[in-house]
Amino acid sequence: MKNKTFGSALLVAGTTIGAGMLAMPLTSAEMGFSYTLALLFALWILLSYSALLFVEVYQKAERKDAGIATLAEQYFGITGRVLATLSLVIFMYAILSAYVTGGGSLLAGLMPFLGDNATSVSIVLFTLVLGVFIVISTGAVDALTRLLFLIKLAAFLLVLGMMLPLVTTDNLLAMPLKDFLIISASPVFFTSFGFHVIIPSINKYLDGDIRRLRIAIIGGTAIPLVAYILWQMATHGVFPQSEFVQIVNNDPTLNGLINATFQATGSSLISGAVRTFSTLALVTSFLGVALSLFDCLDDLLKRVSIKANRIQLGLLTFIPPLAFALFYPDGFIAALGYAGQMFTFYGLVLPVGMAWQARKRYPDMPYRVLGGNISLFIALLLGLLIMNVPFLIQAGYLPKVIG
């Protein structure tokens, strides 16, 4: 039992930690470490809470292996299923677009000899090479991911080991350059705590055991929280804020983050380690999301009796994000922001609504998340706020983040 709980916690942590953390230093460059720390803790609490709401709702699921769209249909009918499915598919397309854009940026930094075409060629190569593994088989993706994850972990530890000794207190104490940046950055940060798509799997794996599910979720999300704090401490603490902001404003991409690392430290070894970690984080996240979207599209087509082979599914999976990346090569942060909007509905608004309905239908449920209906209302308001942050930025009510 303990091994299953520990394994589930690691599954939560592995799903959570991905390429979203690469955008954190760019998005929070003008915000300062203290406000960044506050945002990380707030979103960790909020998304752990929403995950526990799923656990609460699963107590009355029609079957243990029910997916989240099935749960949505149970409480809101076919409309709930359609909204849950659409939000998930759009979320995966948006975040895949961000990964393709970021991957192209990193590869372009390695191929300056291509001149003005470097970014476009790199975007196509990144998508084509990795897309082949998705089309071949899940086994091919699994084998590649296992290898790259170990290298990614080693690269991350190397980055922290080299950068943390260079951290200064003055850099960490830098204050925000604009008001309300902590709100503007929330959609991008929100995606970095996204693991809710695997809750059905661990619920089934742990036989619906509420206690072990809670331990797996809280423990599993604590691991990424610590990793994010150390990552933000390394970047905010090494870079003088004014210089960092100037550099990434000139190049608001992951390649700009690597150039800033080199200029701040003067070490090609450190900037090379950051590039290696960033590339592997993007690749492993890309593979996981692309495989999920590939399988999701396959399932959707089967439901409407449309047969598609793996090549056709591959084209449906990769053409939209590839098109976005080619037309908006600097849209890494923007794509993550759109992904945050969709995930806010799927990972926060939806579980709040289902928990509200479940509590009315089944007032005798043995487990309820702490806070009562007041907490549900507060979580709903926060979710609606985060979903509307991009619109508030466009309207000029909130400041823009870098990127």
Side-chain angles (χ1 to χ4, degrees), residues 1-5 8 11 54-55 58-61 63-66 198-214 216 366:
M1 290 178 64
K2 290 183 178 178
N3 289 338
K4 277 193 171 184
T5 306
S8 297
L11 185 59
F54 277 122
V55 174
Y58 260 109
Q59 292 176 103
K60 296 297 181 180
R63 62 179 198 272
K64 288 183 180 179
D65 62 346
I198 65 157
I199 291 177
S201 300
I202 62 173
N203 177 69
K204 180 181 177 182
Y205 182 58
L206 296 176
D207 300 315
D209 188 305
I210 299 300
R211 178 177 172 275
R212 289 191 290 163
L213 277 167
R214 290 169 61 195

Side-chain angles (χ1 to χ4, degrees), residues 87-256:
S87 62
L88 177 60
V89 170
I90 295 172
F91 162 67
M92 288 193 289
Y93 268 128
I95 204 163
L96 210 58
S97 299
Y99 293 167
V100 172
T101 304
S105 168
L106 289 173
L107 283 181
L110 296 175
M111 298 188 291
F113 55 86
L114 292 175
D116 294 338
N117 296 321
T119 300
S120 298
V121 173
S122 299
I123 286 170
V124 173
L125 282 176
F126 182 88
T127 308
L128 185 62
V129 172
L130 295 178
V132 168
F133 286 89
I134 303 295
V135 173
I136 291 174
S137 69
T138 301
V141 175
D142 180 40
L144 181 61
T145 302
R146 286 172 184 263
L147 173 63
L148 295 181
F149 183 82
L150 293 175
I151 302 173
K152 179 178 75 172
L153 180 61
F156 182 56
L157 294 175
L158 179 62
V159 168
L160 292 180
M162 289 189 294
M163 291 183 68
L164 287 177
L166 303 178
V167 169
T168 67
T169 304
D170 287 343
N171 290 340
L172 290 179
L173 294 178
M175 297 302 291
L177 299 180
K178 300 176 185 175
D179 294 329
F180 304 114
L181 273 172
I182 193 170
I183 300 176
S184 300
S186 58
V188 175
F189 274 63
F190 200 86
T191 61
S192 300
F193 285 98
F195 64 93
H196 298 58
V197 292
I198 65 157
I199 291 177
S201 300
I202 62 173
N203 177 69
K204 180 181 177 182
Y205 182 58
L206 296 176
D207 300 315
D209 188 305
I210 299 300
R211 178 177 172 275
R212 289 191 290 163
L213 277 167
R214 290 169 61 195
I215 293 172
I217 288 171
I218 296 172
T221 53
I223 296 171
L225 176 65
V226 172
Y228 294 162
I229 290 172
L230 292 174
W231 172 240
Q232 290 290 75
M233 184 181 293
T235 51
H236 281 275
V238 168
F239 304 128
Q241 188 182 50
S242 57
E243 295 178 19
F244 185 38
V245 169
Q246 182 178 356
I247 294 169
V248 295
N249 262 321
N250 292 333
D251 185 5
T253 65
L254 294 179
N255 204 50

